[in-house]
Amino acid sequence: MRRLLAATCLTPAALLVSTGVLHAETVIDTATTAPVRTSTINDGAPDDIRIASGGSIKPASAGVAVTIDSDNSVRNEGTIQFTGSNNSTGILANAGTTGNITNTGTITLDENYTPEDADDDADLDGPFAQGSNRFAIRVAPGGTFTGNILHSGTITVEGNQSAGISVESRLDGNLTSRGGISVLGDGSYGIRANDVDGNVRL
């Protein structure tokens, strides 16, 4: 019986390797400032995206670093970063697409701003943050995103009306956060999820 079970378990894996069915992905393993999309990442064709541990996407202006606009997945093991850019998102999943978002790396949306103690009363004065609308992981409104979101890395967001993880459509999948999330700003959230048709584990 043990031999039969072992053979049964190994056969599918062997078939996957021998038939070449293993799923491909496009790997970003260097530093870049160019935003990417799943729909065009593979020389104009759709593909999964993996930012390797040595890779990074640090756009110089506001926008979206990685966009899921096809039925593909995104895995960040490296660094995604915006500095001083309002209306920016690290990973954006469009409604109506299918895929998974996995963050084991670092996503940072911050700014070069430090409150000062203007009246010398030992308390910092002014707002917590100056910028706004900054999101590390965001599911756009307007429908359903089918897939799982797994965060076990590091998320840092400085901005008002911002969020570490913001699910603004129906998520047909699981939402799991095992990593660190730091958010500083008025009207902001660590995690905001409107509608999740799956398990939520924080």
Side-chain angles (χ1 to χ4, degrees):
M1 179 61 72
R2 289 182 180 174
R3 291 178 183 171
L4 177 59
L5 288 175
T8 302
C9 291
L10 290 175
T11 300
L15 286 174
L16 283 174
V17 174
S18 63
T19 58
V21 184
L22 291 176
H23 197 62
E25 62 184 11
T26 298
V27 179
I28 298 172
D29 55 8
T30 59
T32 179
T33 60
V36 295
R37 293 176 171 269
T38 59
S39 62
T40 57
I41 187 66
N42 186 12
D43 293 328
D47 200 1
D48 293 349
I49 297 175
R50 179 168 67 90
I51 304 171
S53 59
S56 65
I57 300 178
K58 299 180 180 181
S61 58
V64 179
V66 182
T67 302
I68 298 177
D69 56 351
S70 58
D71 291 341
N72 292 99
S73 298
V74 169
R75 174 184 291 272
N76 175 45
E77 302 168 354
T79 300
I80 298 173
Q81 183 170 357
F82 285 91
T83 299
S85 295
N86 296 331
N87 305 307
S88 296
T89 301
I91 300 173
L92 174 69
N94 286 344
T97 59
T98 297
N100 295 312
I101 300 173
T102 304
N103 178 53
T104 60
T106 300
I107 304 177
T108 302
L109 290 90
D110 59 3
E111 59 187 9
N112 296 318
Y113 164 71
T114 302
E116 297 181 355
D117 182 11
D119 53 9
D120 295 323
D121 64 351
D123 292 325
L124 297 178
D125 302 310
F128 292 111
Q130 289 184 321
S132 61
N133 297 313
R134 296 167 178 167
F135 304 90
I137 298 173
R138 186 180 192 184
V139 177
T144 298
F145 173 67
T146 303
N148 300 318
I149 298 175
L150 170 61
H151 162 60
S152 59
T154 301
I155 286 176
T156 303
V157 177
E158 296 177 3
N160 304 302
Q161 293 79 51
S162 303
I165 299 175
S166 181
V167 179
E168 300 167 32
S169 281
R170 177 174 175 265
L171 176 65
D172 188 2
N174 300 324
L175 171 60
T176 304
S177 177
R178 297 198 296 259
I181 298 179
S182 173
V183 179
L184 182 66
D186 288 337
S188 296
Y189 299 85
I191 298 175
R192 177 178 62 183
N194 289 340
D195 186 3
V196 179
D197 186 15
N199 297 322
V200 175
R201 175 174 293 182
L202 308 180

